[in-house]
Amino acid sequence: MSTTTRRLAFQRQPHLVDGSGSVGVWLTQPAGMLVQLLRETVTTGDIARFISHDAYQRLVGVMRPDERAFFLYDMALMVRYETEARVILTQWGLNVRDRIEHIVIRPPPEMNKLGRMGIQTIAAAMSLARVPIDIVDDLEPFLRARNLRPRLGAG
């Protein structure tokens, strides 16, 4: 696996980084979290648990009780994902669907057909649960349209 990296989603450092240094998470205002792979990464069960537990608990800690959040995933550097990760993230999404305002996923540009089918499976499950979800080539237009920016004082 090469050490390809990319420009950070925001100009400031992430609020959280997983233990491997592969995943950065920014808490946003309005309420949300932007998850970005910081280097070429296999999305594992451990990464899914970091997102669905550690990052989510940090987000909930700064949200109002009735507030709904944006969940943005820049997975452009995902090499592949383990089935366990997909199952964890899908189940978590369904469990917290009442707290979700919108999900936006940026998959890898050259993702194989099987990987795209996995992302489509997640999207279908969330759509059936009436959670707005979009799969995009670029998160920037969504960030601008919703005026999503890093939350100050959350890091």
Side-chain angles (χ1 to χ4, degrees):
M1 191 164 15
S2 80
T3 57
T4 302
T5 58
R6 59 173 277 113
R7 180 180 61 83
L8 294 178
F10 293 112
Q11 290 183 349
R12 63 160 290 171
Q13 291 298 306
H15 293 104
L16 295 121
V17 177
D18 78 312
S20 73
S22 299
V23 183
V25 177
W26 288 263
L27 302 180
T28 66
Q29 185 63 42
M33 67 183 199
L34 188 150
V35 176
Q36 183 181 37
L37 297 181
L38 304 175
R39 60 180 178 217
E40 288 186 345
T41 302
V42 173
T43 302
T44 63
D46 286 342
I47 286 173
R49 282 184 282 279
F50 169 76
I51 293 166
S52 64
H53 184 267
D54 301 2
Y56 181 66
Q57 291 307 311
R58 185 83 169 270
L59 173 62
V60 169
V62 299
M63 289 175 63
R64 294 184 314 273
D66 61 340
E67 194 170 19
R68 294 164 61 96
F70 293 96
F71 292 83
L72 299 103
Y73 300 93
D74 184 344
M75 307 305 276
L77 294 178
M78 184 170 64
V79 175
R80 66 178 174 80
Y81 65 86
E82 296 176 351
T83 300
E84 179 187 23
R86 181 182 48 79
V87 170
I88 289 168
L89 292 173
T90 303
Q91 189 58 53
W92 165 64
L94 293 171
N95 288 343
V96 302
R97 68 180 167 258
D98 294 339
R99 301 298 309 263
I100 300 172
E101 180 67 27
H102 203 117
I103 298 171
V104 181
I105 301 171
R106 178 183 181 214
E110 285 108 35
M111 184 169 220
N112 67 34
K113 203 179 262 193
L114 188 60
R116 286 210 179 265
M117 284 175 38
I119 288 176
Q120 292 294 342
T121 299
I122 293 170
M126 300 315 305
S127 291
L128 286 172
R130 300 195 191 306
V131 173
I133 184 166
D134 289 306
I135 299 171
V136 301
D137 293 328
D138 185 2
L139 293 177
E140 194 61 36
F142 191 90
L143 292 171
R144 277 195 311 273
R146 296 302 203 293
N147 195 27
L148 287 162
R149 59 207 177 278
R151 185 177 287 265
L152 298 177

